[in-house]
Amino acid sequence: MKKVSFILAALVMSISSFAAPKPVKVNTAASSIAWYAEKVTGKHNGTVAISAGALNVDGNKLVGGNFTIDLKTIKALDITDPAYNQKFIGHISSGDFFEVEKFPTANFVITKIAANQITGNLTIKGITKSVSFPAEIAVKGGKVSAKASITIDRTDYNIQYGSKKFFESIGDKAIMDDFKLVVSLVSE
């Protein structure tokens, strides 16, 4: 009988070591995304909210996850004139940029984590591209915090307005193709 109990205990322990990673919800109130974009004659910065997400934890290791960006929450922090700020947000929410009425969210799904290098699929305007970036990741007691600076080429997502790739003679009205997202995720 002791032998059977020992075998059962060993079997249970070996099965539990193959348990699926535990998903933990992203705390959307404590998480944030700051954005930075430049043009020939200046730059802008702001925020956009994370509306949902889950991070997959295996022991003290992040092994996967996803988050959703609510593009209806785009804010410009550097434009202090209320009328100009509203006009700017209206423009980047339009079809020239993110087409927010048609595509109200963007999504990121982790496909691979190697050390602190994250690779995943970023979907903006219904277009999905693989992106990779270094991240600071900490997992303690099932709680996750992760920070990363991600550079994105907007033209990969059919955001062509003001791009020298498509409008060569645009001169000093050009907007740089790359923009940066600084993402900070915290689990609940």
Side-chain angles (χ1 to χ4, degrees):
M1 192 68 174
K2 286 183 180 180
K3 190 175 185 180
V4 171
S5 295
F6 177 75
I7 292 171
L8 284 174
L11 181 61
V12 167
M13 288 194 319
S14 67
I15 289 171
S16 67
S17 68
F18 294 109
K22 176 186 159 199
V24 292
K25 260 180 104 171
V26 169
N27 181 335
T28 57
S31 299
S32 64
I33 300 177
W35 61 264
Y36 301 87
E38 296 184 17
K39 54 186 179 177
V40 171
T41 59
K43 54 189 170 185
H44 293 292
N45 68 283
T47 61
V48 62
I50 297 169
S51 59
L55 300 169
N56 300 328
V57 177
D58 189 358
N60 281 330
K61 188 175 177 184
L62 179 66
V63 295
N66 65 78
F67 61 89
T68 301
I69 303 167
D70 181 356
L71 295 175
K72 290 184 176 185
T73 67
I74 296 173
K75 292 181 183 171
L77 300 180
D78 64 304
I79 302 172
T80 57
D81 177 80
Y84 182 57
N85 190 301
Q86 184 177 8
K87 181 179 175 184
F88 177 81
I89 294 301
H91 190 209
I92 65 172
S93 297
S94 77
D96 283 343
F97 288 92
F98 292 102
E99 207 168 348
V100 172
E101 285 303 314
K102 186 174 179 183
F103 303 102
T105 62
N107 299 291
F108 182 74
V109 178
I110 296 171
T111 58
K112 179 182 175 185
I113 302 174
N116 284 353
Q117 186 74 17
I118 294 178
T119 301
N121 292 326
L122 178 63
T123 303
I124 299 173
K125 292 180 69 169
I127 300 168
T128 303
K129 298 286 182 178
S130 180
V131 294
S132 294
F133 49 87
E136 297 173 20
I137 304 166
V139 181
K140 288 184 183 177
K143 301 277 187 186
V144 181
S145 65
K147 290 185 179 188
S149 179
I150 309 165
T151 300
I152 300 162
D153 182 343
R154 66 190 175 92
T155 64
D156 288 342
Y157 300 92
N158 199 30
I159 302 171
Q160 300 176 4
Y161 184 88
S163 171
K164 281 192 172 186
K165 284 183 188 174
F166 301 96
F167 306 99
E168 293 175 13
S169 62
I170 200 162
D172 67 359
K173 295 191 187 311
I175 300 168
M176 304 308 159
D177 292 334
D178 287 346
F179 69 96
K180 183 168 63 169
L181 297 178
V182 177
V183 180
S184 177
L185 296 177
V186 179
S187 70
E188 292 186 344

